[in-house]
Amino acid sequence: MARRKIIAGNWKMNMTPSQALKLVEELKPLVVNDDVDVVYCVPAIDIVPVVEAVKGTNVAVGAENMYVEDSGAFTGEISAPMLVDAGVKYVIIGHSERRDYFNEDDAFLNKKVIKAIEAGLTPILCCGESLEQRELGVTMDWIRLQIKSDLANVSADDVKNIVIAYEPIWAIGTGKTATSDQAEEVCKGIRELIAEMYDQATADAVRIQYGGSMNAGNAAELLAKPNIDGGLIGGASLKADFGKVVNYNK
Ligand code: PGA
């Protein structure tokens, strides 16, 4: 069975609640495409108003982060059960900005993946190499290490339902997209790794996105590749262009 494409916006630290509502309204008629799943991953403070604003549409809401405990003395954190109760369906885990700026390591990210699944959220697990790693020729070694560590003790049935986002760090927010062949090569390598860690049925089911300067101009070519099942889109998710990415096949 063909995997359903999933196009997710990653708003990052953009959009106040009132700006968020305006953007949701602007995008409403533009992001309709029955062939794909559409997700807006939004800042925590925008979650409640955006969940309300997308009611009755094809859009699901995701969080950009979460903590590994359910509740307690963790000032400033937000738990998986809180997200679920607010109507959130997805959560980005292990974005390179969180790995780099907030020192999130793979052992911690593994706990997040397990907690998100337990709570009923779909993790969008990010991985990706730096420019230095690509130039050293260790891209796939690095990504294999990330995925193996982040998915430790996660069952095949659970992995079938997660989303993996391949995001080369050098392509994020730089306007420098990986070529469709470069992106396909790594996404294929990730699928082969999942087959190795689990089995072919699991590898065939898991959805793998590409992210890094994806936009209306390059989405169709990237999404035509057999192992690229969607996109995680930063900059281009904050404007009308996102509608064109969602409708890449029209
Ligand atoms: P970008 O960000 O599309 O702005 O490159 C992608 C991401 O970081 O998820």
Side-chain angles (χ1 to χ4, degrees), residues 54-225:
V54 301
K55 273 195 182 139
T57 75
N58 57 321
V59 176
V61 176
E64 297 177 14
N65 186 30
M66 53 164 258
Y67 193 55
V68 296
E69 299 293 339
D70 287 344
S71 63
F74 304 99
T75 303
E77 292 299 313
I78 293 175
S79 73
M82 289 172 179
L83 295 176
V84 170
D85 190 64
V88 168
K89 304 288 183 209
Y90 295 84
V91 58
I92 298 176
I93 294 178
H95 191 280
S96 60
E97 287 149 19
R98 295 218 59 90
R99 292 176 186 263
D100 292 349
Y101 306 149
F102 303 97
N103 302 317
E104 295 193 2
D105 64 15
D106 287 308
F108 184 52
L109 296 172
N110 176 236
K111 284 190 193 160
K112 288 196 184 191
V113 169
I114 290 171
K115 180 55 75 175
I117 293 169
E118 254 175 44
L121 293 165
T122 299
I124 299 178
L125 173 63
C126 301
C127 60
E129 82 288 5
S130 66
L131 187 57
E132 192 188 3
Q133 288 167 326
R134 175 158 285 268
E135 285 170 352
L136 283 170
V138 297
T139 295
M140 216 49 232
D141 302 295
W142 176 250
I143 285 166
R144 287 173 64 90
L145 181 67
Q146 287 185 318
I147 303 270
K148 278 194 168 183
S149 316
D150 299 343
L151 293 183
N153 301 310
V154 179
S155 72
D157 278 348
D158 287 336
V159 168
K160 280 182 187 150
N161 293 316
I162 74 167
V163 177
I164 297 175
Y166 165 54
E167 298 207 307
I169 297 170
W170 48 272
I172 295 176
T174 56
K176 204 174 156 188
T177 325
T179 65
S180 55
D181 286 340
Q182 283 173 324
E184 166 65 13
E185 186 186 15
V186 177
C187 291
K188 182 165 178 275
I190 294 171
R191 200 175 305 287
E192 285 165 359
L193 172 64
I194 298 296
E196 208 180 293
M197 290 169 64
Y198 297 93
D199 50 52
Q200 195 56 47
T202 306
D204 288 341
V206 69
R207 293 191 287 180
I208 305 175
Q209 296 173 317
Y210 167 77
S213 300
M214 196 191 256
N215 58 40
N218 57 31
E221 187 186 335
L222 287 157
L223 293 168
K225 293 291 182 185

